[in-house]
Amino acid sequence: MIHIDGFIALYIFMLAAFTGYEVISRVPVILHTPLMSGSNFVHGIVLVGAMVAMGRANTPLEIGIAFLGVVLAAGNAVGGYVVTERMLEMFKSSKAQPKAKH
Amino acid sequence: MPIGAQSLIQASYFVAAALFIFGLKRMSSPKTARGGIVWAGVGMLVATLITFLSPAMHNYALMTVAIAIGGVIAWISGKRVAMTDMPQMIALYNGMGGGAAGAIAAVELFAGEALGRAQLTLGVLGGIIGAVSFAGSLIAFAKLQGLIRRSIRFRGQNYVNLLILVVTALVGAIIVLHRGENMPAHVTILFVLSLVLGLTMTLPIGGADMPVVISLYNALTGLAVAFEGFVLDNAAMIIAGTVVGSAGTLLTQLMAKAMNRSLANVLFSGFGETAATSASGPAGTLKAIDTADVAVMLGFSEKVIVVPGYGMAVAQAQHKVWELAQALLARDVTVKFAIHPVAGRMPGHMNVLLAEAGVPYDLIYDADEINSEFETADVALIIGANDVVNPVARTDKSSPIYGMPILNADKAKNVIVIKRGQGAGFSGIENALFYLDNTRMLYGDGQAKAAELVQAVKQL
C-alpha cells in the first residue's frame, strides 16, 4: 500500500475540496436534485473501503459489522447510480425530441 | 505478484477518482449530464472489481454475498421508486453510505489496528460523522415518506443535543488517547451515542426543511468516507469523499439560500412546518372563471408562462399540462415554464418531474431567468403553486415568507390559478395574488382541468 501521510494527505484534501467546490459552483438550479443524487453516488466508493475492512476482519463481531458495511455500501453505490441515471435520462432538449407523442 | 497487483489497484483507484471528477463536471450541464453519471459509474465498477485483488484479504464468499444483497435491493428499489419520491430515496441511499463509513471505523476500532495518532483521530471522527449521517438520513427518509408525521420538540432540545455531542467527542478523545489499546466498551458507547445524536438532531426538523438536511448529510457522508480513506490509505476514497464533502456543502448553501433559510436556522430553530396565522387577510375577492374562457384566453395569447408547483405533481397533472403546452405551441403561442427553486420537495425536483412528463429542458426557466419576462406575458398559468407566487413575500415584513425570492406572476397581464379549492398554502399563509384584479380562479382537480383545457384549446 502507498502510505498517505502528513502533508501529502493535507495537500490531497485541500485540492480535492477546491475541485468539488469548483465543479459544482456553476450548476443551474434545474440540475440540483440529480446532482445531489450523483454526488451521493460518488461517495458510494466507500464500498471499496468496506470490502477491504471485511477482507481483514477476523472475529465474528468484526465480520458481522463489516458484512453490514458492505451491504450498505453496495446499496449506496448501486441505488445512487440507478436513480441518478433514471433522472438524467429524462432530460431532453426540444431539438432532440421528435414531435409530440400525441 | 504483490507489486504488480498493488500497482494495478493504485492505477484503478487513480482512474476511478479522475472519472468521478470528470463525471460530476459533466453532470453540471443538462446536455452532458447523462454521460457524466455513466462515466462515474464506469469508475466505480473498475475500482470495485480491482479491489478483489487486494493482498491479504479473506472472507471473499461472504463479501460477494453482501455486495449481491445490497446491490440487488438497491437496484430494484431504485428502478421502482416514483419520481415524486426521489428526495427520500436519495436520503436513504445516502444514509447507507454513512452507515458503511461508520462500519469501517467500527471494524478498525474493534480490531484495535495499529494506527498512527492522526489516522486514529480521523477514523474516530469519520465513524461519528458516518453514524450521525446514517441515523439522521433514516429519519429524513421516514419523514418524507410519511412514516413519521410529527416533529418531536421540547424545551432545551438544542442543549440536550449539545450535551450528547460533547460526551461523544469526549469518548472519542479517550479512545484516541489510549491508542494501541483495545477498548470495545468505549467503542460501543461511541457509536451508540453517535446514532442517538443523529436521531435527536433530525427529529425536530420539519418536512419542508428536509431537502437542506438531506443535502447536509450527503456532504457529511462524503467527509466521513474521506476520513475513513485516510485510515485505509485509500486515495480514491479520500478524493471522492472530499469532493462530495465540499460540493455537498456548497449545494446545501445554495438550497438553503433558495429557500430563504440559513443553515443554522434550519438546524436549530425547528420551523419548517409552522402554521402561521396572518393578522389580516388580503383585500379583494376571489373571482372564479370557467374552462372555456381560460381556453380562449390561452389560445389567443402570444406568450404564456406556466408556473407549476408540487400540487401539480400530487395531482399527477404534469403530463396533461405538457399536452396543454403542446396544444398552445401548435397555435404558435410562446410557452415557457417558470420553476421556483422550492417548487418541488427539493431544488430541481420539479425539473425532474417535468422532464418525466416529456417537457424539454430548454422550455424550463428558473426564477432569475424568467422573472423579468412576466411583464410581457399575456397569461401566467399557476398550477398547484402557492407560496412561491405570493407577492406578500415582497411587501409584508410580518409574514413568515417575507424576503423569500418569488416568481413575479402578479406582473403578468392575466393570472389564472388552477386550484382544488379555497385555502392557504403549505406555510398556512393566505395568498394575496389570488385576490388581485387581474387574477381569475379555475377551481377543480389539476389533472381534470388541464385535460379539459387541452380539449377546449384544440377546438378553438
Side-chain angles (χ1 to χ4, degrees), chain B residues 327-346:
Chain B
L328 293 172
L329 287 167
R331 295 177 58 90
D332 286 328
V333 178
T334 305
V335 180
K336 292 182 175 179
F337 287 82
I339 309 284
H340 190 275
V342 296
R345 297 184 90 170
M346 183 180 273

Side-chain angles (χ1 to χ4, degrees), chain A residues 3 17 33 54 85-86 92 100, chain B residues 34 59 78 233 246 326 347 361:
Chain A
H3 190 52
T33 294
M54 187 165 183
E85 207 264 351
R86 265 184 71 196
K92 299 203 165 69
Chain B
R34 172 81 196 286
N59 301 325
D233 279 325
S246 75
Q326 284 172 306
Y361 62 78

Side-chain angles (χ1 to χ4, degrees), chain B residues 137-368:
Chain B
S137 297
L138 289 185
I139 296 294
F141 167 79
K143 287 207 167 200
L144 288 178
Q145 190 71 19
L147 301 175
I148 300 178
R149 292 183 190 281
R150 290 183 51 237
S151 295
I152 299 151
R153 298 191 189 117
F154 52 87
R155 204 185 278 268
Q157 197 155 23
N158 287 335
Y159 296 103
V160 174
N161 290 347
L162 187 67
L163 185 70
I164 300 173
L165 178 66
V166 169
V167 176
T168 312
L170 279 176
V171 176
I174 292 170
I175 293 172
V176 172
L177 288 175
H178 290 77
R179 184 163 65 98
E181 290 172 41
N182 217 340
M183 311 180 77
H186 286 78
V187 174
T188 309
I189 294 170
L190 180 80
F191 281 100
V192 171
L193 283 175
S194 305
L195 291 171
V196 170
L197 183 62
L199 298 180
T200 56
M201 259 178 69
T202 321
L203 277 170
I205 301 172
D209 283 333
M210 272 308 148
V212 179
V213 175
I214 296 171
S215 183
L216 179 69
Y217 284 139
N218 183 41
L220 285 179
T221 302
L223 203 59
V225 171
F227 286 172
E228 297 313 319
F230 283 114
V231 175
L232 298 171
D233 279 325
N234 186 316
M237 282 171 71
I238 298 174
I239 293 170
T242 309
V243 165
V244 173
S246 75
T249 306
L250 179 61
L251 210 50
T252 309
Q253 284 169 348
L254 290 174
M255 285 191 181
K257 204 174 131 211
M259 298 170 78
N260 194 35
R261 312 269 280 127
S262 79
L263 194 53
N265 216 326
V266 169
L267 290 177
F268 305 120
S269 79
F271 158 88
E273 53 183 8
T274 325
T277 45
S278 176
S280 58
T285 52
L286 295 167
K287 295 163 286 289
I289 190 169
D290 63 24
T291 311
D293 291 342
V294 176
V296 171
M297 194 188 270
L298 292 173
F300 293 96
S301 295
E302 275 179 27
K303 181 157 147 192
V304 173
I305 299 178
V306 182
V307 182
Y310 193 64
M312 180 195 73
V314 172
Q316 284 296 314
Q318 55 269 44
H319 292 88
K320 287 292 167 197
V321 169
W322 172 225
E323 253 187 72
L324 175 63
Q326 284 172 306
L328 293 172
L329 287 167
R331 295 177 58 90
D332 286 328
V333 178
T334 305
V335 180
K336 292 182 175 179
F337 287 82
I339 309 284
H340 190 275
V342 296
R345 297 184 90 170
M346 183 180 273
H349 188 204
M350 182 55 67
N351 304 80
V352 173
L353 296 170
L354 287 177
E356 188 191 19
V359 181
Y361 62 78
D362 46 0
L363 294 186
I364 303 175
Y365 297 83
D366 64 25
D368 295 339

